[in-house]
Amino acid sequence: MSKKMQITLTVNGEVQELLAEPRELLIHVLRERLNLTGAHIGCETSHCGACTVTMDGKSVKSCTVFAAQANGASITTIEGLSTPDNLHVLQNAFREHHGLQCGFCTPGMITRAAQLLADNPTPTEEEVRFGMAGNLCRCTGYQNIVTSVLAAATEMSAAREAAE
Amino acid sequence: MIPAAFDYYRPDTIQDALALLQTHGDDARVMAGGHSLIPMMKLRMAEVPHLIDLQAIADLRGITVDGATVRIGAMVTQHDIIQSADLARAAPILREAALQIADPQVRYMGTLGGNVANGDPGNDMPGLMQCLGAEFILTGPDGTRTIAAREFFEAAYMTARAEDEILTAVTFAAMTGGYAYEKQKRKIGDYATAAAAVLLTKEGGRCATASIAMTNLSDVPVWSQAAAETLVGTDCNPDAIKAAMAAMDGDIDPGADNRGPVAFKRHAAGIVLSRAIARAWSRA
């Protein structure tokens, strides 16, 4: 076993300091040490996107990032997007538009969609499909996910305009 | 899936990374985005007792277009390539290819340097770099050397890079004329069943120069000089494209795998090449 190393992560705005083996994956640190079980472990081979979190403004598959690589980074998980009493616009849109069935892929879908809309606040349907291509859903057939993301984009744009 | 234990290093300079490679020899490997290496480590198909993460080395980043010369640092990601306005002007084929690699999350992490240095026949950038006539810059304990992309790839996962060297950057001349990167894949995130990179220039309604490279149709990328030569002097009509397809077919050596039998790979190679030539010609 190799030596544990000191790792500092800013997770959902809170600084977390922990000791971890370099081989520990970011998803394991989030789920097992920080009890943030929103990001899921699906395929474990960087295909399905269920483990998607945001790392320094990039959507990443946290099953394919070592915690050591993330040392010093700022991480946002699905838990960081909202509180149970005050859902994120995307979460409401997924609920309104049936963007989920079993829900396993949903945290990854919404975390990825949040970054997609941060990069491109007014995407076309094609851009949503292309931008969400790293997240697999085995239930919905994707149509309602795309509808949900587009609805959230419209609502967020309207809110921005209202604020201006 | 947990990899075997390793020690982790994050050097700030190329010199520090080279020193770590010297110290640990065969037990050390450098890692760029990690999206080829980490899955292999998780499957325990790769064991890396000393892992050298290159993310903090500023000299490995950056895209510069200096007149007609393009230089891309090894740690530039596929996402960076897609976002670069300079590259979109100087070498738009890179953006077209990068958009067809993996998916958004992987493109945020996957790098140009890792894509070429890994020597995986399924990677898209090696063939594209051969098409562009790119050169790779390698830095080792004895200094820096340059090697042509067309001479770099020796066999699957075997390249001209020595164990104690790091691929630090890629350079090539800004492209002119028409271009296309055409890729057939089974699904998002898959490697190519077949892919073709085509660059060509047009003078007086005829093809003046051409460069063609094929991906995942041999142990190494295939730069097909024969296919390119058949196009020169023609107006890229259907017969000329058929002749280029036949010449290319003589240069590739696909193997059967779960993407299909050899005959299908050859068929797919012909189709992607014909589409790429037609699109490049329409843009020339």
Side-chain angles (χ1 to χ4, degrees):
Chain A
M1 204 172 92
S2 64
K3 222 171 36 188
K4 288 195 174 180
M5 58 184 283
Q6 177 81 34
I7 289 173
T8 306
L9 302 171
T10 304
V11 182
N12 300 331
E14 269 184 50
V15 175
Q16 302 281 357
E17 293 190 352
L18 49 102
L19 284 172
E21 276 192 75
R23 63 175 168 172
E24 283 183 58
L25 295 159
L26 179 57
I27 185 68
H28 293 143
V29 166
L30 293 172
R31 288 179 59 85
E32 291 162 20
R33 292 173 176 273
L34 303 179
N35 293 324
L36 295 169
T37 54
H40 290 158
I41 298 174
C43 70
E44 275 211 83
T45 53
S46 70
H47 287 96
C48 79
C51 64
T52 298
V53 301
T54 309
M55 180 168 85
D56 292 336
K58 303 177 290 192
S59 299
V60 299
K61 296 180 177 179
S62 58
C63 76
T64 308
V65 176
F66 289 125
Q69 267 177 294
N71 189 12
S74 180
I75 310 286
T76 304
T77 69
I78 186 74
E79 290 91 341
L81 290 183
S82 64
T83 61
D85 298 331
N86 187 16
L87 293 183
H88 189 277
V89 175
L90 274 161
Q91 289 170 311
N92 270 324
F94 270 63
R95 187 167 67 179
E96 290 298 315
H97 297 277
H98 302 279
L100 65 150
Q101 288 180 30
C102 86
F104 191 85
C105 71
T106 311
M109 285 284 175
I110 289 180
T111 311
R112 169 59 196 144
Q115 186 60 41
L116 170 65
L117 295 184
D119 292 343
N120 178 5
T122 54
T124 62
E125 178 179 338
E126 192 186 347
E127 286 168 341
V128 169
R129 288 183 181 276
F130 192 77
M132 299 294 293
N135 295 72
L136 301 183
C137 170
R138 301 289 77 163
C139 303
T140 62
Y142 300 102
Q143 183 57 50
N144 289 348
I145 291 173
V146 173
T147 304
S148 302
V149 176
L150 287 168
T154 303
E155 191 175 328
M156 288 160 79
S157 289
R160 261 191 313 274
E161 276 167 32
E164 276 166 14
Chain B
M1 290 188 288
I2 311 288
F6 58 84
D7 288 330
Y8 173 88
Y9 308 87
R10 194 190 289 184
D12 292 323
T13 66
I14 294 170
Q15 290 311 317
D16 287 351
L18 289 172
L20 286 162
L21 277 177
Q22 286 284 97
T23 303
H24 300 292
D26 287 352
D27 281 347
R29 272 189 77 166
V30 298
M31 179 176 74
H35 275 48
S36 296
L37 184 58
I38 293 173
M40 296 299 277
M41 291 172 72
K42 287 168 68 179
L43 293 165
R44 305 238 175 172
M45 292 168 79
E47 194 173 335
V48 183
H50 299 276
L51 184 68
I52 306 167
D53 182 349
L54 301 178
Q55 68 165 290
I57 303 178
D59 287 348
L60 297 179
R61 296 195 181 270
I63 298 168
T64 53
V65 180
D66 183 5
T69 304
V70 179
R71 182 187 186 282
I72 305 177
M75 289 295 285
V76 166
T77 64
Q78 313 295 353
H79 179 79
D80 296 334
I81 287 171
I82 292 165
Q83 297 294 317
S84 168
D86 285 344
L87 267 188
R89 278 189 296 273
I93 195 171
L94 246 74
R95 183 172 193 275
E96 182 160 295
L99 284 166
Q100 297 179 64
I101 293 175
D103 62 49
Q105 286 94 321
V106 176
R107 289 194 293 266
Y108 275 119
M109 295 299 285
T111 64
L112 176 59
N115 200 279
V116 298
N118 194 34
D120 186 331
N123 285 349
D124 292 281
M125 288 294 174
L128 180 52
M129 292 299 124
Q130 292 194 342
C131 183
L132 284 161
E135 294 190 318
F136 299 155
I137 298 171
L138 300 167
T139 304
D142 302 324
T144 292
R145 68 184 175 113
T146 298
I147 183 163
R150 292 172 192 166
E151 290 166 9
F152 184 71
F153 300 95
E154 296 172 346
Y157 305 103
M158 305 274 287
T159 69
R161 184 185 65 83
E163 297 276 319
D164 58 359
E165 289 180 312
I166 297 172
L167 192 153
T168 53
V170 168
T171 65
F172 53 87
M175 38 171 286
T176 54
Y179 67 92
Y181 193 80
E182 180 78 21
K183 180 177 180 178
Q184 170 65 41
K185 55 187 176 185
R186 297 174 301 179
K187 58 177 265 298
I188 291 288
D190 193 17
Y191 291 122
T193 303
V198 173
L199 292 174
L200 46 79
T201 57
K202 189 196 276 187
E203 274 173 30
R206 300 273 155 182
C207 174
T209 62
S211 181
I212 290 173
M214 308 298 293
T215 289
N216 217 11
L217 294 159
S218 176
D219 278 357
V220 290
V222 176
W223 181 61
S224 180
Q225 203 167 359
E229 280 169 1
T230 62
L231 288 181
V232 173
T234 75
D235 62 355
C236 292
N237 61 57
D239 287 342
I241 292 176
K242 279 207 178 80
M245 288 161 64
M248 176 278 292
D249 192 67
D251 281 347
I252 60 173
D253 183 23
D257 58 21
N258 54 13
R259 292 184 185 84
V262 170
F264 175 70
K265 299 273 190 83
R266 289 188 178 278
H267 174 74
I271 297 292
V272 295
L273 179 58
S274 68
R275 288 177 184 169
I277 293 171
R279 190 158 76 244
W281 183 249
S282 75
R283 289 165 165 172

